[in-house]
Amino acid sequence: MSSLHFWHAKLIVNLRDLGLLALRLWAGQEFLLAGYTKLSGGIHAPEWFSGLSFPFPLSLLGADLNWVVAGTGEIVFGFALLIGFYSRLAALGLLFITFVAIYTVHFDLGWAGWNQIDTEAGLGFKVPLMLALMLFTILTQGSGRYSVKESSP
């Protein structure tokens, strides 16, 4: 009976690690793409972004610097998350960026989801909130076995 318990426990751990890998890969590529999209347009924030009201202390940075910092953070932390390098730290950084984005951009636009993502109605906070929940899981559970640097439990 103990060998059955051993294999059951091993299967559960492997499934947990595969789940964390899937979350890291999905969230990491989403943030990499978001950061690349921001920075590929240049270092100047678009007009819609310049009109946003950022929370303190980010309000001191100005729109262009907030744009570059957010894009760079999404690329650096997104890549770290993707490969599993300091995943908890990367998830924490991305959670900060995500909550600032929800606060400044998405929340006032309401609850909109995947089926409207390519429309003006799709700019709500449902998708960023789902990404935040994925990041929270990685923050609390670590990167799992399938990573460059497995986070400590």
Side-chain angles (χ1 to χ4, degrees), residues 19-74:
L20 290 169
L21 174 64
L23 281 177
R24 282 194 359 258
L25 292 176
W26 182 263
Q29 65 86 27
E30 284 292 317
F31 283 104
L32 271 172
L33 180 59
Y36 174 77
T37 301
K38 277 183 184 69
L39 297 182
S40 67
I43 61 169
H44 297 290
E47 190 175 320
W48 67 266
F49 191 85
S50 299
L52 296 174
S53 177
F54 291 93
F56 182 82
L58 298 175
S59 58
L60 302 174
L61 300 181
D64 288 343
L65 190 53
N66 271 307
W67 183 257
V68 170
V69 168
T72 302
E74 287 171 335

Side-chain angles (χ1 to χ4, degrees), residues 2-151:
S2 65
S3 73
L4 181 62
H5 183 265
F6 169 78
W7 287 108
H8 179 262
K10 190 169 178 77
L11 176 65
I12 296 299
V13 169
N14 286 335
L15 288 176
R16 175 188 160 272
D17 290 329
L18 283 174
L20 290 169
L21 174 64
L23 281 177
R24 282 194 359 258
L25 292 176
W26 182 263
Q29 65 86 27
E30 284 292 317
F31 283 104
L32 271 172
L33 180 59
Y36 174 77
T37 301
K38 277 183 184 69
L39 297 182
S40 67
I43 61 169
H44 297 290
E47 190 175 320
W48 67 266
F49 191 85
S50 299
L52 296 174
S53 177
F54 291 93
F56 182 82
L58 298 175
S59 58
L60 302 174
L61 300 181
D64 288 343
L65 190 53
N66 271 307
W67 183 257
V68 170
V69 168
T72 302
E74 287 171 335
I75 289 172
V76 170
F77 291 139
F79 183 71
L81 199 64
L82 192 70
I83 65 171
F85 187 72
Y86 289 101
S87 296
R88 291 177 195 253
L89 180 62
L92 186 62
L94 290 169
L95 270 170
F96 178 76
I97 293 169
T98 300
F99 283 122
V100 170
I102 290 171
Y103 176 83
T104 58
V105 179
H106 301 282
F107 193 77
D108 289 342
L109 299 170
W111 181 266
W114 294 108
N115 61 338
Q116 303 107 356
I117 197 71
D118 291 329
T119 68
E120 289 299 313
L123 299 175
F125 65 92
K126 183 178 184 180
V127 173
L129 182 60
M130 286 190 286
L131 282 166
L133 290 171
M134 291 178 202
L135 292 170
F136 182 72
T137 301
I138 295 165
L139 177 66
T140 59
Q141 302 300 309
S143 58
R145 176 180 304 158
Y146 308 112
S147 61
V148 170
K149 178 172 178 51
E150 184 177 348
S151 353

